[in-house]
Amino acid sequence: MFTAHSGTAVDRSADRPARDLRRMQRVVAAAVLTIPATAVTIGRLFMTDDSDTRKALDEIAADPSRQQVVVWLGFLSALTVVPAFLALGRLAKRRRPVLAAVALGVNLAAYLGGYAMFAIDGLYLAGAGVPAEQRDGAAALIDQTWSTGASGLSTALFVIGHVIGAILMGLALRGSIPTIGWLAMILSQPGHVVAFVVFQNVVMDSVAWGLMALCFVIAAIAVLRTPDDEWDLPPRGFGTAPAAG
């Protein structure tokens, strides 16, 4: 704000102390960290077996509320997963800056590029909503979407980047969070492989996501315990008295 003083305009905004938002940022980051993997962990328990797409559409049509839970929890996860990984990267970078930067880059590519994984959950719900005689066409469209064009690339990017990125981030978090936390992040990935490749069981995949959620919760506690000066630089001018006169 400018005021007149002896015929000269004076900027009074410089007299205002800078507002330090670092504590609030840590609280918000900790809250966000608890959401994405937890949402997917719960959502997996409501998923319909999609090994046969046509059969899955009929099952969803009989009880669409389960797929609605999957879709909305998937949306919540997609909304928060990137900020959550940014918080993990910030937490890890003080001890392992290079590995944290690489891990963050891989995870951001996987989750920002893996939009199709969340969108296809919505396709199942939409396909189940069409008349029964049209579901063969809806099933064929979903099957084609999985593997062709940008959706196919998005799916591959998510699967590969998610696995590699989680392992790298777990390694980057060593020393920044307790061992059980970063180890849970790493072990979650072979858990996904066993769940889908060996047993094809969504409950086991939910357990794998639960391990990842455990790491996020432990990291959230570490973020809350991190001093402001270790979390970020203070705002310019914070803690200094305004000049006299």
Side-chain angles (χ1 to χ4, degrees):
M1 182 179 70
F2 292 91
T3 59
H5 180 69
S6 299
T8 304
V10 179
D11 184 3
R12 292 297 185 188
S13 62
D15 295 340
R16 298 174 183 172
R19 182 171 298 177
D20 189 359
L21 300 178
R22 289 176 295 173
R23 183 176 184 277
M24 185 188 74
Q25 290 170 350
R26 288 190 296 105
V27 171
V28 171
V32 169
L33 277 165
T34 65
I35 298 174
T38 302
V40 178
T41 299
I42 298 171
R44 283 291 186 268
L45 299 176
F46 289 85
M47 282 189 68
T48 302
D49 180 7
D50 60 358
S51 55
D52 184 330
T53 305
R54 180 64 175 83
K55 181 180 177 182
L57 292 181
D58 288 337
E59 292 181 5
I60 293 171
D63 185 11
S65 62
R66 292 179 62 86
Q67 187 65 14
Q68 288 174 350
V69 171
V70 173
V71 169
W72 283 108
L73 287 177
F75 172 76
L76 186 61
S77 177
L79 187 66
T80 55
V81 69
V82 169
F85 269 102
L86 288 173
L88 285 183
R90 181 179 288 272
L91 186 63
K93 72 177 184 178
R94 282 184 58 83
R95 290 183 178 271
R96 305 179 190 276
V98 176
L99 187 54
V102 173
L104 183 58
V106 173
N107 279 290
L108 291 184
Y111 288 101
L112 289 173
Y115 70 93
M117 297 295 295
F118 302 101
I120 289 176
D121 287 337
L123 282 180
Y124 275 95
L125 185 61
V130 303
E133 62 273 13
Q134 297 179 19
R135 287 180 197 148
D136 284 338
L141 176 62
I142 292 172
D143 288 339
Q144 191 75 0
T145 301
W146 273 114
S147 57
T148 59
S151 294
L153 177 61
S154 173
T155 301
L157 182 62
F158 175 82
V159 172
I160 297 172
H162 162 63
V163 172
I164 296 175
I167 293 173
L168 290 175
M169 185 59 78
L171 293 173
L173 286 167
R174 288 177 299 160
S176 297
I177 63 174
T179 301
I180 189 175
W182 62 261
L183 195 58
M185 175 74 86
I186 294 174
L187 292 178
S188 68
Q189 300 317 298
H192 290 310
V193 174
V194 171
F196 275 119
V197 177
V198 179
F199 294 101
Q200 297 182 346
N201 187 299
V202 293
V203 175
M204 293 185 66
D205 190 54
S206 175
V207 173
W209 277 101
L211 288 173
M212 200 169 181
L214 175 62
C215 175
F216 276 104
V217 171
I218 291 173
I221 295 172
V223 168
L224 290 175
R225 292 177 175 175
T226 300
D228 286 342
D229 288 337
E230 292 186 15
W231 180 253
D232 200 358
L233 293 173
R236 186 181 296 274
F238 176 74
T240 61

